[in-house]
Amino acid sequence: MSRYLNEYPVIWFGADSIWGMQIKRAYRFRFYPTPGQAITLARTFGCVRVVYNHMLNLRSTAWAQRQERLGYRATSAALTVLKKKSDCLWLNEVSSVPLQQTLRHLQTAFVNFFAKRTGYARFKRKDGPQSAEYTASAFRWDGRSLKLAKMREALPIRWSRQLPKAAKVTTVTVSKDPAGRYFVSLLCDDVVVQKTPASTGVGIDLGLTHFATLSTGEKVDAPQIFRQHEAKLAKLQRRLARKQRGSARRAKARLKVAKLHAKIADTRRDFLHQLSTRLIHENQVIAVESLSVSAMRKNRCLAKSISDAGWSEFVRQLEYKARWYGREFVGVDRWYPSSKRCHACGHVLPKLPLSVRQWSCPECGTDHDRDLNAAHNVLAAGLAVLALGETVRPECMSVDAQRLGSVKWESLSL
């Protein structure tokens, strides 16, 4: 837990050694704009999209024709010229802050591309997700209501929860999803109070039949949310394909498809948040096998089920929640033979087909459930990594090295 103290600002409360971490935290709410606000937001979304696409084309053309790299300053100067053109004067009807922010987002997209963290930036679509970001100079927040630039009335937000009194709102992002729902995200400077250290740890083996098998013996069934709505989604998509492009009936059919996709995504996100939060609250150490989901999706037989599971999002949630609340999150190397290794004696089978769900160790005779045995091994490898104090490939460690995790475990079980 102490390794995080050097990475994030820490605030101490009183003499009982309770401490909190200062973080950037976003609170997302749904709102229902008035007709006038909807028009203003539509104009803002349209201007943001046009500016982003124009500058993306400008930067791409400059490199293709002259091998010239344009940065944020060049696009900012180009935006000033663009807003003065007679056919683009409508760009001045909306707040200038979201237009400047979209240039920063474009710059970030290129930085991530050159760092090989993502693909090349793509043009924004009119029927895709829309968003606009406002900094402190373009909105007014009094603790109870939110008013954006170019709007006379406060946004009618449905406050599903209260913001912390000490939270300071620094950025507001307004978005509209393809299903036609409006959301506002308030980015705050917040403090998360660390939870009391727990005395337990858990190893997690992710799967398809069971979403997660825990080293405690619990098996969490896979919700298979997409599979539950697959037939209805296919029916709606067939109806959409038969509609004439540009017609009102096609727009209605597209909206029905988008709403079903939104329902699937929301249900999956809720399941992942509830499970990850419960595991973080109950355990001090959380060990998970690192998976290459993008490579696993190349399997044509399992790609749809793997995408439906949401493993990457689940691991991401565990990682940042563990960092917030003072837990130890350990990612075990993907090549570690967690399923083939006997957690009782350490014997490793030469191979274990995926169809074999139960097996007996030829050395000690212990009967194993494949997933439960893997969860035990993941926890042992995670504790060994914490004991050695460095990131190593657990499959290269001996059984005795993995048992060193018990030393670290005793120090965490205070």
Side-chain angles (χ1 to χ4, degrees):
M1 185 168 61
S2 60
R3 59 178 174 174
Y4 299 126
L5 301 183
N6 297 327
E7 301 176 7
Y8 299 90
V10 174
I11 302 175
W12 296 83
F13 299 90
D16 54 354
S17 299
I18 298 177
W19 58 279
M21 180 183 298
Q22 189 171 7
I23 62 171
K24 288 284 188 180
R25 189 172 192 173
Y27 293 86
R28 186 166 176 256
F29 304 93
R30 188 173 180 180
F31 71 98
Y32 300 85
T34 63
Q37 290 175 340
I39 293 175
T40 301
L41 289 175
R43 290 176 178 173
T44 304
F45 292 150
C47 292
V48 167
R49 184 177 64 253
V50 168
V51 169
Y52 185 93
N53 291 342
H54 178 82
M55 297 307 170
L56 174 57
N57 179 67
L58 184 67
R59 296 180 66 154
S60 301
T61 303
W63 175 257
Q65 295 181 354
R66 305 184 300 275
Q67 283 71 52
E68 179 184 1
R69 287 190 177 182
L70 301 182
Y72 167 76
R73 291 186 178 180
T75 55
S76 181
L79 176 60
T80 303
V81 176
L82 182 65
K83 294 172 71 173
K84 294 180 180 179
K85 291 185 178 181
S86 58
D87 56 343
C88 295
L89 294 178
W90 42 269
L91 290 175
N92 299 280
E93 297 177 0
V94 302
S95 173
S96 61
V97 174
L99 305 185
Q100 289 292 333
Q101 290 301 105
T102 196
L103 298 183
R104 292 185 172 89
H105 295 165
L106 180 61
Q107 176 65 20
T108 302
F110 274 96
V111 169
N112 291 334
F113 168 72
F114 289 122
K116 297 182 179 180
R117 289 190 290 265
T118 185
Y120 194 78
R122 294 182 293 181
F123 292 100
K124 294 183 180 293
R125 297 179 49 171
K126 185 177 181 180
D127 57 352
Q130 309 293 321
S131 66
E133 185 175 283
Y134 296 80
T135 55
S137 61
F139 68 86
R140 184 184 302 170
W141 166 253
D142 60 4
R144 293 175 297 178
S145 61
L146 177 67
K147 185 182 294 185
L148 300 179
K150 301 291 184 177
M151 290 187 185
R152 297 181 179 179
E153 301 176 353
L155 292 181
I157 302 174
R158 182 178 179 182
W159 299 104
S160 56
R161 53 179 171 168
Q162 294 295 328
L163 266 68
K165 294 182 179 180
K168 180 182 178 181
V169 180
T170 58
T171 305
V172 172
T173 302
V174 181
S175 60
K176 180 183 179 183
D177 66 3
R181 303 179 301 176
Y182 290 87
F183 295 94
V184 58
S185 179
L186 309 179
L187 184 63
C188 308
D189 290 326
D190 198 4
V191 175
V192 176
V193 179
Q194 304 297 288
K195 294 189 175 298
T196 304
S199 59
T200 57
V202 65
I204 306 174
D205 179 68
L206 301 175
L208 295 178
T209 303
H210 295 93
F211 175 80
T213 301
L214 310 182
S215 57
T216 59
E218 179 185 356
K219 291 190 175 183
V220 181
D221 292 333
Q224 297 183 345
I225 301 166
F226 179 81
R227 295 290 187 181
Q228 295 177 13
H229 300 86
E230 187 175 12
K232 183 178 181 180
L233 182 60
K235 182 178 180 180
L236 293 178
Q237 288 177 329
R238 286 195 298 268
R239 290 180 179 178
L240 175 62
R242 290 194 292 265
K243 299 296 186 291
Q244 183 178 357
R245 290 186 176 275
S247 65
R249 289 187 175 182
R250 181 179 177 84
K252 292 180 181 179
R254 185 203 63 80
L255 188 60
K256 290 182 180 180
V257 173
K259 286 183 177 180
L260 185 55
H261 274 297
K263 180 179 180 179
I264 294 172
D266 290 345
T267 308
R268 181 187 297 114
R269 189 181 304 111
D270 180 70
F271 166 78
L272 297 178
H273 271 296
Q274 289 196 31
L275 180 58
S276 61
T277 300
R278 177 170 70 87
L279 294 176
I280 290 294
H281 286 185
E282 295 176 352
N283 302 278
Q284 181 65 32
V285 175
I286 299 93
V288 184
E289 187 175 8
S290 302
L291 300 175
S292 178
V293 178
S294 58
M296 296 174 68
R297 281 203 299 259
K298 294 180 181 180
N299 186 329
R300 296 176 57 187
C301 300
L302 301 176
K304 187 181 295 185
S305 297
I306 293 174
S307 299
D308 187 21
W311 292 336
S312 296
E313 174 63 14
F314 178 66
V315 173
R316 186 190 73 87
Q317 291 179 11
L318 286 175
E319 187 172 5
Y320 81 77
K321 290 178 182 179
R323 185 169 64 247
W324 282 4
Y325 298 114
R327 303 310 198 199
E328 294 280 1
F329 176 85
V330 185
V332 179
D333 194 280
R334 72 188 63 169
W335 301 112
Y336 173 61
S338 57
S339 298
K340 298 188 295 182
R341 180 188 293 272
C342 173
H343 75 270
C345 68
H347 176 75
V348 180
L349 296 178
K351 58 182 177 178
L352 185 66
L354 190 61
S355 58
V356 178
R357 312 310 302 176
Q358 304 282 339
W359 61 281
S360 298
C361 178
E363 290 291 331
C364 64
T366 305
D367 294 328
H368 292 298
D369 176 278
R370 179 192 183 104
D371 299 333
L372 182 58
N373 175 67
H376 283 298
N377 284 323
V378 167
L379 177 60
L383 294 175
V385 171
L386 293 177
L388 295 175
E390 58 183 357
T391 303
V392 295
R393 294 188 62 175
E395 75 275 18
C396 298
M397 296 187 294
S398 64
V399 178
D400 292 336
Q402 293 193 36
R403 289 174 179 170
L404 287 175
S406 60
V407 179
K408 180 69 174 179
W409 179 246
E410 292 177 359
S411 63
L412 292 174
S413 304
L414 300 178

